[in-house]
Amino acid sequence: CGRVKNKVVEFPMKLKKLGRDDPRRIVHSLKVGLAVLLVSLLYYFDPLYDGLGATAMWAVLTVVVVFEFSVGATLGRGLNRILATFLAGSLGFGVHHLANLSGEKGHPILIGLFVFILAASVTFFRFFPRIKARYDYGLLIFILTFCMISVSGYRDEEILEMAHKRASTILIGAFTAVSVCVFICPVWAGDDLHNSVATNIEKLGSFLEGFGSECFKISCKGGESNKALLKGYCSVLNSKQSEESQVNFARWEPRHGRFRFRHPWKHYLKIGSLTRQCAYRIDTLNGYINSEIQTPLNIHSTKVQELCMKISSESSKALKELALAMKTMTRPTTATAHITKSRIAANSLKSFLKSPGLGGDIHLLDIIPAVTVASLLTDVVAYAEQIEKSI
Amino acid sequence: CGRVKNKVVEFPMKLKKLGRDDPRRIVHSLKVGLAVLLVSLLYYFDPLYDGLGATAMWAVLTVVVVFEFSVGATLGRGLNRILATFLAGSLGFGVHHLANLSGEKGHPILIGLFVFILAASVTFFRFFPRIKARYDYGLLIFILTFCMISVSGYRDEEILEMAHKRASTILIGAFTAVSVCVFICPVWAGDDLHNSVATNIEKLGSFLEGFGSECFKISCKGGESNKALLKGYCSVLNSKQSEESQVNFARWEPRHGRFRFRHPWKHYLKIGSLTRQCAYRIDTLNGYINSEIQTPLNIHSTKVQELCMKISSESSKALKELALAMKTMTRPTTATAHITKSRIAANSLKSFLKSPGLGGDIHLLDIIPAVTVASLLTDVVAYAEQIEKSI
C-alpha cells in the first residue's frame, strides 16, 4: 500500500520534471491537440462533411499517426504516407481492373494472388537497412492501401470514389499535421542533431576538466556533484542510433535557420563516431577513478601529476572550444593552440619517464598506472586533433 | 548511366544476400503475405461480410500494422492495439453521452474540448521513457480511437454499432496476425536476445584470440581475414539499443523453448552492459594494432610478449567458454580456471616489470606501450571475471 501511495505521490513530480527537462515537450503535446481539433472540425462543417462523409475519419487518423516531435520526422512520415497512398492506390486500381477481365470466378483468385505476392515482397524490401531508414513507413502504408483498395474492389462498385476520398482525406490530414508542426514553434531535427553532437564534445571536455583533480584527489570540496559531472560522458557512449535517426529526419527538412538546403548532415555521423571513440578511451580512464574494478591510482611523482593535469586540462579546453565553435558555427580560434600545448605536455611526460635518473627514486610499479593514464590521455589528444580537423 | 546500370545489376545480388544472411526474413515475408491473404478472405465469405460490411478493412489494416518480425513484438503491438481500442472506445462512448446531455449547441464544443485535452495529455505521457518502451503504440491507438468514436458520434447515430464493429474487426485482425506469427516458424525475441548477448561475448573472445599474434606480428599468414576477424567486436560497441528493445519484446512473450514464463530478461541488460564496457577497453587495444592514430607497438622483451600472449589467450578462452555455456545454458566448467590463469599471468607480468634487473637492459620508453597493453588486458580480465559471475 505504501508503495502504491508513493508512486501516486511521485507521479506528478515526474510529470513536472519531464516538462521542465525539455519544455518543447509541453508545446508539442498542445500542438498535437490543436492539429487533431482542427481536423475534427471537418465533421462539423456541413459542406466539407457532405463531400467526404464517414471517410473524414481518415484525416483524423493521418494527423495522429503522422505528427512527430521534430519537423523532419513529421515531413518524412507525411510524404511517405501521401506518396505510398497514391502509388498503391493506382496500382490497386489497375489490379482491380485486370482481375475484372478474368471474369466472376477468376477475380478473387487473381486478387488473392496479387495481394499475397505484393505483401510478401514489400515486407522483404523492408529489411534493406537503407530503405528501412527512410522509407519504412511508406512501404507499410503501401501494403495497407494496396490491400484495402484491391480487396474491397471485389465488393464496392464505387472503388474509384473510395480511392479518391481516401487520397483527399489523407492529403488534408498530412497537410494539417505538417503545417501545425512547421508553423507553431517548430522543432528542427537538424538543430537537435547539431546541438547534440556539439554537446557530446563538450561533455568529454567537462570530464577531462574534472579528471585531473579527481584522479589525484587534490580538491575534494566538489564531492558528489563533481562525480556527477564526470558521469556526463556516459550518454555519449550510446549516442550512435539516436544520431543516425536524427540525420535521417534532418534530411527531410527544408532550409531553415542557419542551415542550407543540402547541409552535409552525414558529416555529423563522422564527427559523432570520432567523439564516441574518444569517449571509449575516457570510459577506460574513468575505470581508474571509480575503483570498483581497478585499484586506485597511486602516483607519487609530482612531476608526473603535473604533466597529466596539464594534458587533461589543455585537451579539455581544446574540446570545449571546439564544441563552442561548433554551436556558434564559427572557426575555432585558440583550439589548435590548446591541442599543441597538450601534445607538448604529453611528449615531455614521455621523455620524463624515459629519463635515466628516474629508476632509482621510485618503483616502476608505482608509475605503471600513471603511464597507462598518460598513454590514454595521449590517445584522447589524438582524437581531439582529429575531431578538430573534421569540423 | 553506367552507375544506374551497376545499381540495377547489384540489386538482385543484394536481395539474395539479404535472404542468405538470415533466411527467417524470407519466411517472415511469406508469413505476412499469408496473414493478409487470410484476413482478406473476410471479404469473400458472404456470411462474414454481411455482419461486418466495409469495416472489414480494419481487419486488414490491423494485420499489416501489427505483424512484426518477432513474436514478442507482434504480441506487444496486438495487445496494445486491442486494449487501447477497448478502453478508448468505451471512454469515447461515455464522452459522447455526456456531450449529448448538454444539448445541440454545447455538444460540438464539449467534444472538441475533450478531444484537445485528451490528445495533448496522452501525447505528453508518451514522453515517459518507461511508458514509451512498452505502451507507445497503445497510447497512439488510444488517441486515435477516442477521437474517431467521439467525433464521429456527432454525425453517426449508430455509434454503438460502429464501436462494436471496429472492436471485432480489430480482434479478428490481431488474432490472425498473432496466430500466424506464433504457429508458423515463430521467431522469439527472447531467443534472439539470448543468442546475441552470447555472440557478443564470443566476439570479444575471438578478438583477444587474434590480438596476441596480431599485436606482435608473429604470424602474418592470416592477413586480411584475420583483420576482419578482429573487426568483429565493433558491433558490440553499439548494441545497447537493440538489446533494450529486444528485452521489451521478450517480456511480452509467453513461455517457450528453454525459457520459463518469468525469465529474468533484465539480467541480460546487465551482462550486455558489462560486455560493452569490456568492448570499450578492447577498442582502445585495437587502436594499438591499427596504427592510424597510434604509433605501432615495439615490444622487444620476449618475456613481456610471452606474458601478454598468455593473458590474452587465456581470457579469450574464458570468454569463449562463457559464451558457449550461455548458449547451451549449462554451467561453465573450465572458465574459472582460464580466468585464474590469466590473472596469474597478469600478476607475473606486473612483478616482472617491477623487478629491479630490468632497468639496465631496456629503455623505459620501450615498454610503455607494453605496460599500457598489459594494464588494459588486466582490465579485460577483470571484466571477464565480472561477466562470469553474473551469468
Side-chain angles (χ1 to χ4, degrees), chain B residues 51 93 157-168:
Chain B
F93 198 63
E157 284 317 300
E158 295 158 335
I159 181 172
L160 191 62
E161 209 195 312
M162 181 184 153
H164 173 244
K165 272 183 184 169
R166 184 169 154 84
S168 49

Side-chain angles (χ1 to χ4, degrees), chain B residues 100 149 221 223 302 311 334 339 381 386 389:
Chain B
N100 262 353
I149 297 289
K221 53 190 173 181
T302 41
I311 299 175
T334 60
I339 285 182
V381 173
Q386 286 215 331
K389 271 180 205 152

Side-chain angles (χ1 to χ4, degrees), chain A residues 7 11 14-15 18-19 25-26 28-30 32-34 36-37 40 43-46 49 57-58 60-61 64-65 69 108 111-113 115-116 119-120 123-125 127-130 140 143-144 147-148 151-152 154-155 162 237-238 240-242 276-277 280-281 283-284 287-288 293-294 350 353-354 358 363-365 367-368 371-372 375-376 379 382-383 386, chain B residues 7 11 14-15 18-19 25-26 28-30 32-34 36-37 40 43-46 49 57-58 60-61 64-65 69 108 111-113 115-116 119-120 123-125 127-130 140 143-144 147-148 151-152 154-155 162 237-238 240-242 276-277 280-281 283-284 287-288 293-294 350 353-354 358 363-365 367-368 371-372 375-376 379 382-383 386:
Chain A
K7 284 215 168 172
F11 192 67
K14 276 188 186 164
L15 273 184
L18 212 61
R25 287 175 178 153
I26 302 172
H28 170 73
S29 307
L30 295 176
V32 172
L34 181 68
V36 171
L37 190 65
S40 48
Y43 277 87
Y44 298 115
F45 289 121
D46 288 323
Y49 188 82
M57 68 166 105
W58 287 108
V60 178
L61 197 147
V64 176
V65 172
F69 189 60
I111 290 275
L113 199 71
V115 165
F116 179 78
T123 305
F124 191 67
F125 280 130
F127 283 113
F128 265 105
R130 277 180 154 199
L140 191 77
I143 304 179
L144 197 66
C147 293
M148 270 170 52
V151 169
S152 65
Y154 177 65
R155 292 281 178 173
M162 181 185 154
L237 295 173
N238 295 306
K240 190 179 183 215
Q241 261 165 311
S242 77
R276 265 192 304 285
Q277 290 211 284
Y280 299 152
R281 301 324 181 247
D283 187 51
T284 314
Y288 291 99
I293 285 180
Q294 201 67 28
K350 262 189 193 167
L353 291 174
K354 203 180 175 180
L358 194 68
H363 273 295
L364 188 54
L365 189 63
I367 59 158
I368 287 180
V371 173
T372 317
S375 162
L376 286 171
D379 265 26
Y383 278 111
Q386 285 214 329
Chain B
K7 284 216 166 170
F11 192 67
K14 277 188 183 164
L15 273 185
L18 212 61
R25 287 175 179 156
I26 302 173
H28 170 72
S29 306
L30 295 176
V32 173
L34 181 68
V36 172
L37 190 65
S40 49
Y43 277 87
Y44 298 116
F45 288 122
D46 287 325
Y49 188 81
M57 71 165 106
W58 285 108
V60 179
L61 197 147
V64 175
V65 172
F69 189 61
I111 291 274
L113 200 70
V115 164
F116 179 79
T123 306
F124 191 68
F125 280 132
F127 284 112
F128 264 107
R130 276 182 153 195
L140 191 77
I143 303 180
L144 197 66
C147 293
M148 270 169 53
V151 169
S152 65
Y154 177 65
R155 292 281 178 174
M162 181 184 153
L237 295 173
N238 294 306
K240 191 180 181 210
Q241 261 165 314
S242 78
R276 263 192 306 285
Q277 289 213 285
Y280 299 152
R281 301 321 182 248
D283 188 52
T284 314
Y288 291 99
I293 285 178
Q294 200 67 27
K350 261 190 193 166
L353 291 174
K354 202 180 176 180
L358 193 69
H363 272 295
L364 187 55
L365 189 63
I367 59 157
I368 287 180
V371 173
T372 316
S375 161
L376 286 171
D379 264 24
Y383 277 111
Q386 286 215 331

